[in-house]
Amino acid sequence: MDQGTGGMMMLRGLGGAGLGALENEIQLIELAGKYGFQAVDIDAVTLIERVGEKKAKELLSDNGVVIGSIGLPVNWRSTEEEFLNGLKKLGEHAAAARLLGCTRCCTYILPSTDYPSAHFMALATRRLRSCAQMLGAYGIGLGLEFVGPHHLRTQWANPFIWTMDETLDWIAAIGESNVGLLLDSYHWYTTSSTIADILALKPEQIVHVHLNDAPNVPVEAALDGGRIYPGEGVIDLAGFLKGLHAIGYAGPVAQEILAQKPREGTPEELVRHSKECYDKVFGAAGLQ
Amino acid sequence: MDQGTGGMMMLRGLGGAGLGALENEIQLIELAGKYGFQAVDIDAVTLIERVGEKKAKELLSDNGVVIGSIGLPVNWRSTEEEFLNGLKKLGEHAAAARLLGCTRCCTYILPSTDYPSAHFMALATRRLRSCAQMLGAYGIGLGLEFVGPHHLRTQWANPFIWTMDETLDWIAAIGESNVGLLLDSYHWYTTSSTIADILALKPEQIVHVHLNDAPNVPVEAALDGGRIYPGEGVIDLAGFLKGLHAIGYAGPVAQEILAQKPREGTPEELVRHSKECYDKVFGAAGLQ
Amino acid sequence: MDQGTGGMMMLRGLGGAGLGALENEIQLIELAGKYGFQAVDIDAVTLIERVGEKKAKELLSDNGVVIGSIGLPVNWRSTEEEFLNGLKKLGEHAAAARLLGCTRCCTYILPSTDYPSAHFMALATRRLRSCAQMLGAYGIGLGLEFVGPHHLRTQWANPFIWTMDETLDWIAAIGESNVGLLLDSYHWYTTSSTIADILALKPEQIVHVHLNDAPNVPVEAALDGGRIYPGEGVIDLAGFLKGLHAIGYAGPVAQEILAQKPREGTPEELVRHSKECYDKVFGAAGLQ
Amino acid sequence: MDQGTGGMMMLRGLGGAGLGALENEIQLIELAGKYGFQAVDIDAVTLIERVGEKKAKELLSDNGVVIGSIGLPVNWRSTEEEFLNGLKKLGEHAAAARLLGCTRCCTYILPSTDYPSAHFMALATRRLRSCAQMLGAYGIGLGLEFVGPHHLRTQWANPFIWTMDETLDWIAAIGESNVGLLLDSYHWYTTSSTIADILALKPEQIVHVHLNDAPNVPVEAALDGGRIYPGEGVIDLAGFLKGLHAIGYAGPVAQEILAQKPREGTPEELVRHSKECYDKVFGAAGLQ
């Protein structure tokens, strides 16, 4: 029984990465519901364009699933033109997410950049602030995902940021109240973060969570595209989940398996396997 | 010769109000250019939808005209749903304005409201901030027009704001650097504002200017829908324009004739008449 | 046993109002600790000036007491000069509070004003934003207390705001992430707020809580200076506390008895009585 | 005659650097007034503490001098504790500056840092925002001075920022409307900036200006501590000043001669020399 969140449980969530050749988000919603997942990470505009608002809402509620998070549809890492081309559509995405009851939008932070680091930080701060402001009007939080794998720190010319603390400082610099962390277990692991780091957080500092595991290789060698399913690897996911629960985080925990060599199997087989993995790690954490 | 603005002149602008049965914004652009106006207040999205981006740019440059200001396409005075329905499209409007080189977007402030005044001020502050933030990303300033006619102060149940100073304080409360005044001569007149009030402004506090005149009636009786053409009435427009010029304002001065009983004449006749009026008042101000 | 907050309990707090002729904040700290209270609402600068930083910290820890909240030492309700005279000292107050481990600062909102309501809302929004910004740099939240007694709504010329919802909208207008509610049971009661209103809040929206009770008079007649001790009156304090606990609020619940005719007794007698009152209402709420 | 600023002239200003062994700011004020300077860069709190508010105001007006700018008394480049220790006093400095009619406060940006660049940019953004917010409440602008000498770009471990464009982007990231540039001719020169760069600015983007000259050495070899008096060197100061005037900048232009080997002479001799230098370069620019 859950003691940590006044009765509120984290939601089991599913992203499409690692589920094979999914037809579309509809199939993801149906498989998620069938195998006990309560949230999916999909694009709200795409779903509504595909089936209409009414049908989209029915699809979600009939399958007992909510949209855990949408992805930020704005490219803030490149030129100003690129950014402005995306920003102008963000209002429609925010409205669509809100329509379908989704309150989270996430983006990842690459730990290195070909731009001069300090200048890029200034540009990115302003751009993400603009995104957070439009999202915030629709009650949507913006989650920033620090990315830990060591190889990415030197993939581009200049180091950017990759730790939880640096990301929290960046969130303060962006200065909008609806910005928080997307905490991904793989990045928590590859930055050698601890359970104490999680326990030091307030639940409202976490917008979203990703779950996955790492193979038994030195942490510096863990590749961003080398993730495996929860419970198959060496990350202390029970500790990770218990920490989140202890601080009162009650949002989605969405699986995201980025793998250069995708697992074999049909989407349904892979979702069933994902369920078994979730049962295992949630069970090990004393959660359901 | 211009002394006040380092060589930069205010632009003669035209809004559609008071020009009779204009077919569309294309006719406004053409007539404006023909009669020596340099700016028009039109909707950028509408123009681009009508003729496409390339043709829209050509239309403007061929006629020697820029878009002085677009109107804010968001209803912030009513329900939150109404507001959010408009806000989600604002990015597209901002992008369209920017595409056509327009840097101003304006909205008017009704001096009374059926909502409880203080609560409505809080709601409107947040809503206009959201608008300003999206516009600001595209380099567009948001001009707030205080509205002076006395009858409007009691048109709705509760007094809101109507003076320049109250509007400047509201701009500070909104807290975005791209928000300023839309200074309309009729509202300057009906709030008994002075030239000293204009001289106390820094030019960057003024986003846009409207020009019109008032009939010879007591100022408390001047109706919002009773405006006449510049130079036909009693407003000290020479002083108004000289004041703007003295502080270095170099943006558009756009005619806006709100009249319950529209002047008779074809759009071309009315634009010709407007030019004569502008020649008269600009001449009286020692400007061109 | 506490189920609602992951093990975290609300703190019993004491303000000086209603405790008779306290000598100073030192006596408040000692009596609070003696009678099982865990937080006091005092001024941090005054305490440090009185006994020095080292001794102030010892006084608090020796008595098992923290500073629940300081009061905002800035007069934002009057002239700009008055405001600026207070704001310049706010940094020192924020630093002092932080030094002593205090993370909350509160101010009350009078429900009417002699200023024009909308204009005053604009001024106050900017002023409270300035306060929140300085406090936020020191990790201090600013709690705004809506004030419910009906007589105060017409005490001054124009209505301002007095409900929880209006205050939440104002917090959004102020736009700083460290601003929240000071929720006082007397004001919750006199605005006819409900437990559902509390359950709709997220705990991070509440900066601080005040506890007190109301005599058995019609709610419209309850005077701001007519409060009595928790459990002596008609407010559903058990429901109030259970609601706070259910949403996970784990901050101080500080007694504040504003009474025109103060209760008789020495400070110690009144603190003992306060403890009995707290035992009664917390017990009725199933809390400790 | 001034055409560029509607009649408003830039002010000749003096900072203490390069004026020998000045006794204190009083001597600077007197010498400035005696030799036709209209602004001094001094600390307002120090002056008021030395002679009191009344006498400070008299000193300034009797000598026909205003305070051009104060320096930011907050160390934002080091630890958070260091920063918070300074920030808490900023209100008093802002109030003192305001009392004496000063509206500018400046700080310099070192072009390299021992901190990781991106993380430091995030921290510094938030810290400077806090400073700007407190200053802004008192009507004071915060000028950020980009620093150009090439040797400083590698003085510390990691490159930060040093160009005008990067600084403008940083100002946008800080997001407060009262933040602008401190444009120093030496840094304009050592970043190979052009007059076109100045002409592209709006005057309100410039909070303050420093004037000095560079010896005839390759620009990459120009040392930060190797500055000489205006007109003694190779910087196109006439073009610099004409550019500022053309865009309508009407604030102070304050001399700042950082020199490892200070010029010989009494303060009065050095101020007289400075006047001659100003006469020369302002004359060359067609200004007075």
Side-chain angles (χ1 to χ4, degrees):
Chain A
M1 185 178 76
D2 174 36
Q3 302 277 19
T5 60
M8 294 179 61
M9 303 293 308
M10 290 184 285
L11 306 177
R12 294 186 176 204
L14 267 189
L19 300 182
L22 280 166
E23 286 169 42
N24 53 43
E25 62 281 351
I26 298 175
Q27 190 191 19
L28 177 59
I29 292 170
E30 292 171 340
L31 287 175
K34 181 170 179 182
Y35 288 91
F37 287 88
Q38 300 138 311
V40 289
D41 288 355
I42 61 171
D43 187 71
V45 166
T46 306
L47 181 63
I48 292 177
E49 282 179 345
R50 197 186 294 284
V51 300
E53 175 193 337
K54 182 167 180 299
K55 173 76 179 171
K57 288 177 174 176
E58 288 169 3
L59 215 46
L60 290 165
S61 67
D62 289 350
N63 287 282
V65 161
V66 298
I67 298 179
S69 178
I70 61 171
L72 181 66
V74 182
N75 181 2
W76 53 272
R77 305 175 196 85
S78 176
T79 67
E80 192 66 16
E81 280 314 303
E82 200 39 38
F83 165 66
L84 292 177
N85 272 337
L87 182 69
K88 71 188 178 193
K89 305 180 193 121
L90 184 56
E92 293 287 355
H93 281 264
R98 181 172 181 267
L99 210 56
L100 301 186
C102 171
T103 60
R104 304 175 193 85
C105 173
C106 293
T107 188
Y108 55 90
I109 305 165
L110 294 173
S112 55
T113 172
D114 281 340
Y115 290 102
S117 301
H119 188 202
F120 180 61
M121 174 55 85
L123 293 170
T125 297
R126 174 181 52 78
R127 292 174 184 168
L128 286 180
R129 176 182 308 131
S130 290
C131 294
Q133 290 167 344
M134 176 56 66
L135 291 166
Y138 293 83
I140 296 169
L142 176 62
L144 306 187
E145 176 180 29
F146 59 92
V147 169
H150 296 224
H151 65 106
L152 291 177
R153 302 175 190 184
T154 49
Q155 176 98 352
W156 292 275
N158 307 307
F160 192 57
I161 63 169
W162 54 79
T163 68
M164 183 191 293
D165 276 354
E166 289 171 321
T167 308
L168 290 171
D169 285 337
W170 191 14
I171 288 168
I174 292 167
E176 294 291 322
S177 62
N178 62 321
V179 185
L181 297 171
L182 161 43
L183 181 58
D184 179 306
S185 55
Y186 204 79
H187 304 312
W188 173 74
Y189 171 70
T190 50
T191 51
S192 303
S193 297
T194 64
I195 294 177
D197 292 329
I198 298 177
L199 296 177
L201 295 171
K202 287 181 279 190
E204 58 267 24
Q205 287 180 288
I206 303 172
V207 170
H208 197 43
V209 171
H210 279 172
L211 198 70
N212 40 44
D213 215 332
N216 189 6
V217 298
V219 72
E220 318 79 50
L223 299 176
D224 197 49
R227 313 192 201 185
I228 52 183
Y229 294 76
E232 292 181 344
V234 300
I235 300 179
D236 175 15
L237 296 178
F240 179 79
L241 291 172
K242 278 196 288 195
L244 286 170
H245 181 74
I247 64 170
Y249 176 72
V253 174
Q255 180 179 270
E256 184 198 52
I257 316 299
L258 300 185
Q260 300 269 61
K261 286 181 4 179
R263 191 68 54 94
E264 277 186 31
T266 65
E268 175 143 17
E269 286 165 348
L270 293 169
V271 173
R272 180 183 305 121
H273 176 61
S274 302
K275 176 203 192 316
E276 288 159 3
C277 290
Y278 266 61
D279 288 344
K280 174 174 165 183
V281 299
F282 274 70
L287 304 166
Q288 55 198 49
Chain B
M1 186 178 74
D2 176 36
Q3 303 276 17
T5 60
M8 294 179 62
M9 304 292 310
M10 290 185 284
L11 306 177
R12 295 186 175 204
L14 266 190
L19 301 182
L22 281 166
E23 286 169 44
N24 53 43
E25 62 281 350
I26 298 175
Q27 190 189 20
L28 177 60
I29 292 170
E30 292 171 339
L31 287 174
K34 183 171 178 182
Y35 288 92
F37 287 89
Q38 300 137 311
V40 289
D41 287 356
I42 62 171
D43 187 70
V45 165
T46 305
L47 180 63
I48 292 177
E49 282 179 345
R50 200 187 291 285
V51 302
E53 174 192 337
K54 183 168 181 298
K55 174 75 179 174
K57 287 177 173 176
E58 287 169 4
L59 215 46
L60 291 166
S61 68
D62 289 351
N63 287 282
V65 161
V66 298
I67 298 179
S69 179
I70 62 170
L72 181 65
V74 183
N75 182 2
W76 53 272
R77 303 176 197 84
S78 176
T79 66
E80 192 66 17
E81 280 314 302
E82 204 31 45
F83 165 67
L84 292 177
N85 271 338
L87 182 69
K88 70 188 179 192
K89 305 182 195 120
L90 184 57
E92 292 289 355
H93 282 264
R98 182 174 181 265
L99 210 54
L100 301 187
C102 172
T103 60
R104 302 174 193 84
C105 174
C106 293
T107 188
Y108 55 90
I109 306 165
L110 295 172
S112 55
T113 172
D114 281 339
Y115 290 102
S117 302
H119 188 202
F120 180 60
M121 174 56 84
L123 292 171
T125 297
R126 172 180 54 77
R127 292 174 185 168
L128 287 180
R129 176 182 308 132
S130 291
C131 293
Q133 291 168 342
M134 178 53 68
L135 292 166
Y138 291 84
I140 295 169
L142 175 62
L144 305 188
E145 177 181 27
F146 59 92
V147 170
H150 294 226
H151 66 106
L152 292 178
R153 301 175 191 184
T154 50
Q155 176 99 351
W156 291 276
N158 307 307
F160 192 58
I161 63 169
W162 56 79
T163 69
M164 183 192 292
D165 276 353
E166 290 171 321
T167 307
L168 290 171
D169 285 335
W170 192 16
I171 288 167
I174 292 168
E176 293 293 321
S177 62
N178 62 319
V179 185
L181 297 172
L182 160 44
L183 182 58
D184 179 305
S185 56
Y186 203 79
H187 303 313
W188 173 75
Y189 170 70
T190 50
T191 51
S192 303
S193 299
T194 65
I195 294 177
D197 291 329
I198 297 178
L199 296 178
L201 295 171
K202 289 182 278 192
E204 59 268 22
Q205 287 180 287
I206 304 173
V207 170
H208 198 42
V209 172
H210 280 173
L211 197 69
N212 40 44
D213 214 331
N216 188 7
V217 299
V219 71
E220 317 80 49
L223 299 176
D224 196 50
R227 313 193 202 183
I228 52 184
Y229 294 75
E232 294 181 342
V234 299
I235 301 179
D236 175 14
L237 296 179
F240 179 79
L241 290 172
K242 278 197 288 194
L244 286 170
H245 182 75
I247 64 171
Y249 175 73
V253 175
Q255 180 179 272
E256 183 198 51
I257 315 299
L258 300 187
Q260 300 268 62
K261 288 180 1 180
R263 191 68 54 93
E264 279 185 31
T266 65
E268 175 142 18
E269 287 166 348
L270 293 170
V271 173
R272 180 183 306 119
H273 176 62
S274 302
K275 175 202 192 317
E276 287 158 3
C277 291
Y278 265 61
D279 287 344
K280 174 176 164 180
V281 299
F282 273 70
L287 304 166
Q288 55 197 53
Chain C
M1 185 177 77
D2 175 36
Q3 302 276 16
T5 59
M8 295 178 62
M9 303 293 307
M10 290 186 283
L11 306 176
R12 294 184 175 206
L14 267 188
L19 299 183
L22 281 167
E23 285 168 45
N24 53 41
E25 61 281 351
I26 297 174
Q27 189 190 20
L28 178 60
I29 292 170
E30 293 171 340
L31 286 175
K34 181 169 179 183
Y35 287 93
F37 286 88
Q38 300 138 311
V40 290
D41 287 355
I42 62 171
D43 187 70
V45 165
T46 305
L47 181 63
I48 292 177
E49 283 180 345
R50 197 186 293 284
V51 301
E53 174 193 337
K54 182 169 181 298
K55 174 77 178 169
K57 289 176 173 177
E58 287 169 4
L59 215 46
L60 291 166
S61 67
D62 289 351
N63 288 282
V65 161
V66 298
I67 299 180
S69 178
I70 62 170
L72 181 66
V74 183
N75 181 4
W76 54 272
R77 304 176 197 83
S78 175
T79 67
E80 192 66 17
E81 280 315 301
E82 200 38 40
F83 165 67
L84 292 177
N85 272 336
L87 182 70
K88 71 188 179 195
K89 306 181 193 120
L90 184 57
E92 293 288 354
H93 281 264
R98 181 173 181 267
L99 209 57
L100 301 186
C102 172
T103 61
R104 302 175 194 83
C105 174
C106 294
T107 188
Y108 55 90
I109 306 166
L110 293 172
S112 55
T113 171
D114 281 339
Y115 290 102
S117 302
H119 188 203
F120 180 60
M121 175 54 86
L123 293 170
T125 297
R126 174 181 51 76
R127 292 173 183 168
L128 286 180
R129 176 181 308 130
S130 290
C131 293
Q133 291 169 343
M134 177 56 66
L135 291 166
Y138 292 83
I140 296 169
L142 176 62
L144 305 188
E145 177 180 28
F146 59 92
V147 169
H150 295 225
H151 65 106
L152 292 177
R153 301 175 190 185
T154 49
Q155 176 97 351
W156 292 276
N158 307 307
F160 192 57
I161 62 168
W162 55 79
T163 68
M164 183 192 293
D165 276 353
E166 290 172 319
T167 308
L168 290 171
D169 284 335
W170 191 16
I171 289 166
I174 292 168
E176 293 293 322
S177 62
N178 63 319
V179 185
L181 298 172
L182 161 43
L183 181 58
D184 179 305
S185 55
Y186 203 79
H187 304 312
W188 173 75
Y189 171 70
T190 50
T191 51
S192 303
S193 298
T194 64
I195 294 177
D197 292 329
I198 297 177
L199 296 178
L201 295 170
K202 287 182 279 191
E204 58 268 22
Q205 288 179 289
I206 304 172
V207 170
H208 197 42
V209 172
H210 278 173
L211 197 68
N212 40 44
D213 215 332
N216 188 7
V217 299
V219 72
E220 317 81 50
L223 300 176
D224 196 50
R227 313 191 202 186
I228 51 184
Y229 294 75
E232 292 181 345
V234 298
I235 301 179
D236 175 14
L237 296 178
F240 179 79
L241 292 172
K242 279 196 289 194
L244 286 170
H245 181 74
I247 64 170
Y249 176 72
V253 174
Q255 180 179 271
E256 184 198 51
I257 315 300
L258 299 185
Q260 300 270 61
K261 288 179 7 181
R263 192 68 55 92
E264 279 186 29
T266 64
E268 175 141 18
E269 287 165 347
L270 294 170
V271 173
R272 182 184 305 121
H273 176 62
S274 303
K275 176 203 191 317
E276 289 159 2
C277 290
Y278 265 62
D279 287 344
K280 174 175 166 181
V281 298
F282 273 70
L287 303 167
Q288 56 197 49
Chain D
M1 186 178 75
D2 174 35
Q3 301 277 16
T5 60
M8 295 179 63
M9 304 293 309
M10 290 186 285
L11 306 176
R12 294 185 176 206
L14 266 188
L19 301 182
L22 280 167
E23 286 168 45
N24 54 41
E25 61 282 351
I26 297 175
Q27 191 190 20
L28 177 61
I29 292 170
E30 293 171 338
L31 286 175
K34 181 171 179 181
Y35 288 92
F37 287 88
Q38 300 138 312
V40 290
D41 288 355
I42 62 171
D43 187 69
V45 166
T46 306
L47 180 62
I48 292 177
E49 282 179 346
R50 198 186 292 284
V51 301
E53 175 192 337
K54 183 168 179 301
K55 174 76 179 172
K57 289 178 174 177
E58 287 169 3
L59 216 46
L60 291 166
S61 67
D62 290 350
N63 287 283
V65 161
V66 297
I67 299 179
S69 178
I70 61 171
L72 181 66
V74 183
N75 182 3
W76 53 272
R77 303 176 199 84
S78 175
T79 65
E80 191 66 16
E81 280 313 304
E82 203 32 43
F83 165 67
L84 292 178
N85 272 338
L87 183 70
K88 70 187 179 194
K89 306 182 194 118
L90 184 58
E92 293 289 354
H93 282 264
R98 182 173 180 266
L99 210 55
L100 301 186
C102 172
T103 60
R104 302 175 194 83
C105 174
C106 293
T107 188
Y108 55 90
I109 306 166
L110 294 171
S112 54
T113 173
D114 281 339
Y115 289 103
S117 301
H119 188 202
F120 180 60
M121 174 55 85
L123 292 170
T125 297
R126 174 181 51 77
R127 293 174 184 167
L128 287 181
R129 176 182 308 130
S130 290
C131 294
Q133 291 167 343
M134 177 54 68
L135 292 166
Y138 292 83
I140 295 169
L142 176 62
L144 305 188
E145 176 180 29
F146 59 92
V147 170
H150 294 226
H151 65 105
L152 291 177
R153 302 174 190 185
T154 49
Q155 177 98 351
W156 291 276
N158 306 308
F160 192 58
I161 62 168
W162 56 78
T163 69
M164 183 192 293
D165 276 354
E166 290 171 320
T167 308
L168 291 171
D169 284 337
W170 192 14
I171 288 168
I174 292 168
E176 293 293 322
S177 62
N178 62 321
V179 185
L181 297 172
L182 161 43
L183 182 58
D184 180 305
S185 58
Y186 203 79
H187 303 313
W188 173 76
Y189 170 70
T190 50
T191 52
S192 304
S193 297
T194 66
I195 294 177
D197 292 329
I198 297 178
L199 296 178
L201 294 170
K202 287 182 277 192
E204 59 267 24
Q205 287 180 288
I206 303 172
V207 170
H208 197 42
V209 172
H210 280 171
L211 198 70
N212 39 44
D213 214 331
N216 189 7
V217 299
V219 73
E220 318 80 49
L223 298 176
D224 197 49
R227 313 193 203 185
I228 53 184
Y229 293 75
E232 293 181 341
V234 299
I235 302 179
D236 175 15
L237 296 179
F240 180 79
L241 291 172
K242 278 196 289 195
L244 286 170
H245 181 74
I247 63 171
Y249 176 72
V253 174
Q255 180 179 270
E256 184 198 48
I257 316 299
L258 300 187
Q260 299 270 59
K261 287 179 8 183
R263 192 66 55 91
E264 278 185 32
T266 66
E268 175 142 16
E269 287 166 345
L270 293 170
V271 174
R272 181 183 306 121
H273 176 62
S274 302
K275 175 201 191 319
E276 288 158 5
C277 290
Y278 265 62
D279 287 344
K280 174 175 166 183
V281 298
F282 273 70
L287 304 166
Q288 56 198 51

